[in-house]
């Protein structure tokens, strides 16, 4: 009995993971670790076994040559391949092959003169063959050859066209946004950075999904330590599938339990190009309509593309208002609860009379009143997102007005609380970064509870704890509060306000130290007289009116 039990344990043990997870093959079969042979029929049977029960797999057998013939196979997934390109270009070229080309060097001749220019690869390993077929390649097998030719012919109808940004709109500047196709996204970035200094390193994550990730950075600007750390963290990801950039972000961020994200995101190619020019790096992920930016700071999350497309006076004003709106969105409900509950003496007498009269008849304390309104608003906002776009936003706005007015009329909440919640919501919408806006939505409830328990002392204690926490955060080695902590006077030119472009001579100190100078010193615009020159007059003009 014990002998049979021991044999059973030995049989089960390899199935439980004798290999590390990353080394297990996709299909769990010996087929995946074998290479091709020159047996044409065996190669066909192998493909049929690998793609068992895949009804969209097409195996098309045909004859090459007229006198000296050879069998050939085209294997592809019908749902991923451009059928028109396959029929009109590839098949027509293959059927017109001369007899003199058929032989041992047939594939080499096909690559040079017969197969139309396309992205192609030659391999004899089954894992690579199956991987490329699953990504839209056509596999060409020829009788007597132990190598397959993989020709990429994706169906472009599966790609979404380049559209305008949805969450990071700009009044001025480009109106292009990333989509889900990694090649399109790389093309948009290459248009803005047409230089050989733009490095693109392709990585793959997920043993089943094999999600393609492009690590992009400027070779002469980005620190090698930053690039190396990103690659180390990506190589540690050992999962079966990655379907979105959010999953990548959770696996590589610095502080997984923090409310603040150490990785920013953008759907705008111009913002990504600007980030790379400052010495940063980014990840462009196949199937994700935004790029991940590293490192990330609070100042970057509160900046917008419009800041650099408008005059610096206006941009500085708007950015300062954005910082004020950030503080209002975090602290306003908590301050209202604390003052109404414990510090009524801070309210001017005339205003205090109005507040007391409005709260007369309200059966709930200020904290319960604020909690009820905030939760109602969050539910309405979530409902507006999930509803169809044609009327989702309208319903969320109308629903907020109707619910607020009905709650005041019923005596459930005071009108002052409705005003505070409305101002807080408007302030939160002014935050450009979606991840930071979501963090603010959570922090708001924390400060409401602190104000309800300890009043202004609780608010100050919460601010101190928040300051300590954010000061300790790092984003790939860069302090989250830089250039405020540690203080960098030179980098303050592009934080609370924005200095003119001709004054921002250097890159950020913590990321652009490899090549810190980005422009000449004397770029301030001056009239010709101040430069010691005069305007030239065109021929045929005179001084007359």
């Amino acid at each position: 009995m014990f002998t049979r039990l021991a044999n059973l344990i030995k049989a089960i043990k390899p199935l439980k993971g004798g290999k590390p997870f990353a080394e297990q093959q996709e299909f769990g079969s010996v087929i995946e670790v074998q290479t091709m042979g020159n047996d044409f029929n065996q190669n066909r049977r192998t493909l049929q076994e690998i793609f068992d029960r895949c009804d969209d797999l097409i195996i098309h057998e045909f004859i090459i040559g007229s006198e000296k013939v050879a069998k050939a196979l085209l294997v592809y997934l019908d749902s991923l391949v451009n059928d028109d390109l396959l029929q009109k270009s590839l098949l027509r070229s293959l059927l017109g092959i001369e007899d003199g080309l058929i032989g041992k060097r047939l594939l080499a001749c096909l690559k040079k003169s017969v197969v139309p220019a396309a992205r192609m690869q030659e391999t004899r390993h089954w894992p690579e063959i199956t991987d490329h077929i699953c990504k839209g390649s056509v596999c060409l097998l020829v009788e007597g050859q132990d190598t397959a030719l993989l020709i990429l012919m994706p169906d472009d109808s599966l790609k979404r066209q380049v559209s305008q940004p949805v969450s990071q709109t700009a009044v001025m500047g480009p109106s292009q946004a990333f989509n889900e196709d990694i090649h399109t996204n790389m093309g948009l970035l290459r248009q803005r950075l047409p230089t050989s200094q733009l490095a693109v390193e392709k990585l793959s994550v997920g043993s089943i999904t094999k999600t393609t990730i492009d690590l992009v950075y400027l070779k002469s600007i980005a620190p090698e330590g930053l690039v190396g750390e990103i690659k180390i963290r990506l190589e540690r990801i050992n999962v079966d599938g990655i379907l979105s950039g959010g999953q990548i972000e959770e696996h590589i961020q610095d502080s997984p339990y923090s409310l603040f994200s150490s990785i920013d995101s953008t759907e705008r190619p111009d913002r990504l190009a600007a980030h790379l020019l400052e010495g940063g790096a980014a990840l462009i992920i196949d199937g994700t309509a935004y790029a991940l930016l590293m490192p990330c700071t609070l100042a970057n999350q509160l900046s917008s593309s419009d800041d650099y497309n408008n005059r610096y006076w206006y941009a500085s004003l708007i950015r300062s208002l954005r910082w004020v709106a950030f503080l209002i969105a975090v602290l306003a409900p908590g301050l209202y609860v604390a003052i109404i509950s414990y510090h009524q003496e801070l309210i001017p007498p005339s205003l205090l009379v109005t507040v007391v009269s409005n709260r007369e008849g309200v059966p709930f304390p200020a904290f319960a009143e604020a909690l009820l309104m905030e939760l109602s608003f969050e539910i309405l906002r979530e409902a507006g997102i999930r509803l169809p776009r044609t009327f989702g936003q309208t319903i969320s706005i109308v629903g907020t007005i109707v619910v607020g007015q009905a709650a005041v009329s019923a005596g459930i909440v005071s009108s002052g609380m409705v005003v505070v919640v409305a101002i807080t919501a408007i302030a939160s919408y002014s935050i450009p970064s979606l991840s930071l806006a979501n963090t603010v939505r959570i922090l708001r409830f924390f400060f409401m509870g602190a104000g309800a328990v300890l009043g202004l002392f609780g608010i100050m204690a919460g601010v101190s704890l928040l300051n300590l926490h954010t000061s300790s955060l790092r984003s790939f080695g860069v302090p989250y509060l830089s250039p405020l902590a540690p203080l960098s006077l030179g980098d303050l030119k592009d934080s609370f306000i924005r200095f003119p472009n001709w004054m921002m001579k250097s890159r950020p100190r913590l990321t652009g130290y490899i090549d810190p100078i980005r422009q000449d010193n004397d770029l301030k615009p001056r009239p010709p007289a101040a430069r010691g020159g005069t305007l030239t007059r065109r021929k045929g003009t005179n001084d007359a009116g």
Side-chain angles (χ1 to χ4, degrees):
M1 176 179 178
F2 291 103
T3 303
R4 295 174 62 184
L5 181 61
N7 293 334
L8 180 61
I9 293 175
K10 290 180 181 179
I12 294 176
K13 188 175 180 180
L15 299 178
K16 285 189 174 181
K19 296 181 181 180
F21 182 75
E23 296 180 5
Q24 294 177 5
Q25 301 297 330
E26 180 179 349
F27 301 99
S29 170
V30 293
I31 294 174
E32 282 294 324
V33 296
Q34 292 178 348
T35 56
M36 282 183 57
N38 54 12
D39 188 339
F40 182 77
N41 294 325
Q42 179 60 40
N43 291 337
R44 175 171 184 159
R45 287 193 297 268
T46 300
L47 282 171
Q48 290 175 337
E49 291 180 21
I50 293 175
F51 290 96
D52 183 31
R53 290 176 290 181
C54 294
D55 293 339
D56 58 342
L57 180 75
I58 305 299
I59 300 179
H60 178 62
E61 183 174 342
F62 59 98
I63 301 297
I64 295 178
S66 56
E67 297 180 1
K68 187 179 179 181
V69 298
K71 294 181 180 179
L73 279 182
L74 283 180
V75 184
Y76 58 94
L77 291 173
D78 184 49
S79 54
L80 297 178
V81 171
N82 189 329
D83 190 64
D84 291 338
L85 184 61
L86 174 66
Q87 298 290 338
K88 297 178 181 178
S89 181
L90 181 59
L91 271 176
R92 185 176 298 176
S93 301
L94 292 174
L95 293 175
I97 294 177
E98 299 177 358
D99 293 338
L101 295 178
I102 299 177
K104 293 183 178 180
R105 299 184 58 82
L106 175 61
L107 289 181
C109 296
L110 289 176
K111 290 178 65 176
K112 292 181 180 179
S113 58
V114 177
V115 176
R119 287 169 287 187
M120 65 180 68
Q121 182 176 344
E122 193 174 338
T123 184
R124 59 194 304 266
H125 299 285
W126 287 119
E128 295 184 25
I129 294 173
T130 55
D131 183 35
H132 282 78
I133 291 177
C134 291
K135 291 184 177 180
S137 292
V138 177
C139 176
L140 174 61
L141 301 177
V142 181
E143 185 179 15
Q145 304 287 331
D146 61 352
T147 305
L149 190 62
L150 301 167
I151 307 149
L152 185 60
M153 290 186 171
D155 188 359
D156 293 334
S157 64
L158 300 177
K159 301 178 183 179
R160 183 168 61 91
Q161 297 298 319
V162 176
S163 59
Q164 294 185 353
V166 177
S167 61
Q168 296 178 342
T169 57
V171 178
M172 300 178 65
S175 297
Q176 290 180 321
F178 291 131
N179 62 14
E180 292 77 14
D181 182 64
I182 191 171
H183 301 293
T184 302
N185 296 342
M186 276 306 308
L188 293 173
L189 179 61
R190 285 283 186 187
Q191 286 181 348
R192 285 156 180 81
L193 296 175
T195 172
S196 60
Q197 291 297 319
L198 178 59
V200 181
E201 298 189 26
K202 287 193 175 294
L203 305 168
S204 181
V205 178
S207 61
I208 294 180
T209 59
K210 297 181 176 65
T211 304
T212 302
I213 300 175
D214 283 349
L215 171 59
V216 295
Y217 58 93
L218 291 173
K219 292 179 283 188
S220 59
I221 300 177
E224 294 182 2
L226 171 64
V227 176
E229 180 63 24
I230 294 174
K231 290 194 286 188
I232 290 173
R233 297 189 188 187
L234 288 174
E235 290 170 356
R236 289 182 62 251
I237 301 177
N238 194 6
V239 296
D240 58 349
I242 292 293
L243 301 177
S244 66
Q247 294 175 291
I248 294 288
E249 180 180 351
E250 289 189 8
H251 279 94
I252 65 174
Q253 61 185 350
D254 288 71
S255 303
Y257 296 108
S258 175
L259 289 177
F260 293 87
S261 175
S262 59
I263 300 174
D264 201 5
S265 61
T266 182
E267 59 177 347
R268 300 183 61 90
D270 57 330
R271 182 174 174 85
L272 173 55
H275 179 75
L276 299 185
L277 287 170
E278 291 184 347
L283 297 177
I284 300 178
I285 304 165
D286 194 18
T288 300
Y290 56 87
L292 300 180
L293 311 181
M294 291 81 69
C296 166
T297 63
L298 180 61
N300 289 337
Q301 291 181 318
L302 287 173
S303 65
S304 172
S305 298
D306 266 344
D307 296 346
Y308 305 95
N309 297 324
N310 289 292
R311 294 267 299 170
Y312 60 90
W313 290 113
Y314 177 76
S316 298
L317 172 63
I318 295 301
R319 185 174 290 186
S320 301
L321 290 177
R322 204 176 292 135
W323 280 88
V324 174
F326 168 71
L327 296 177
I328 291 175
V330 174
L331 299 175
L335 285 173
Y336 181 83
V337 170
I339 293 175
I340 292 297
S341 300
Y342 298 100
H343 308 283
Q344 294 90 349
E345 67 276 4
L346 297 178
I347 306 176
S350 57
L351 180 59
L352 181 60
V353 172
T354 303
V355 171
V356 171
S357 61
N358 288 333
R359 285 189 50 80
E360 186 176 1
V362 176
F364 303 111
F367 173 69
E369 189 181 358
L371 185 63
L372 177 63
M373 287 302 300
E374 287 290 347
L375 289 176
S376 300
F377 182 79
E378 292 296 335
I379 293 173
L380 285 170
R381 175 156 51 181
E382 188 68 18
I385 295 174
R386 305 306 165 200
L387 286 170
R389 187 174 300 179
T390 52
F391 54 90
Q393 185 176 4
T394 303
I395 289 180
S396 62
I397 295 174
V398 174
T400 303
I401 297 174
V402 171
V403 170
Q405 183 62 37
V408 172
S409 301
I412 299 176
V413 297
S414 62
S415 57
M417 179 58 71
V418 174
V419 172
V420 171
V421 171
I423 293 176
T424 303
I426 295 173
S428 65
Y429 283 129
S430 66
I431 299 176
S433 173
L434 181 60
S435 61
L436 182 60
N438 293 334
T439 300
V440 167
R441 293 165 68 178
I442 300 174
L443 286 175
R444 189 181 306 154
F445 291 96
F446 168 75
F447 281 100
M448 285 167 49
V453 175
L454 298 174
L456 290 180
F457 177 78
I459 298 295
M460 294 307 299
V463 171
S464 301
L465 290 175
L466 182 63
N467 189 23
L468 289 173
H469 174 66
T470 52
S471 299
S472 65
L473 292 179
R474 296 290 184 273
S475 175
F476 292 85
V478 176
Y480 182 68
L481 291 184
S482 64
L484 306 177
L487 182 63
S488 177
L489 295 178
D491 293 343
L492 289 177
K493 296 177 181 179
D494 194 15
S495 55
F496 293 108
I497 59 176
R498 183 181 77 79
F499 278 38
N501 285 316
W502 43 266
M503 292 186 65
M504 292 190 284
K505 173 185 174 183
S506 59
R507 294 184 173 87
R509 180 173 61 89
L510 296 178
T511 57
Y513 57 85
I514 301 296
D515 185 13
I517 306 301
R518 64 188 311 171
Q519 63 185 26
D520 291 336
N521 287 325
D522 192 17
L523 293 181
K524 179 181 177 181
R526 295 184 180 90
R531 299 196 305 267
T534 58
L535 288 174
T536 59
R537 182 182 302 170
R538 292 183 299 174
K539 293 182 178 180
T541 60
N542 50 42
D543 296 333

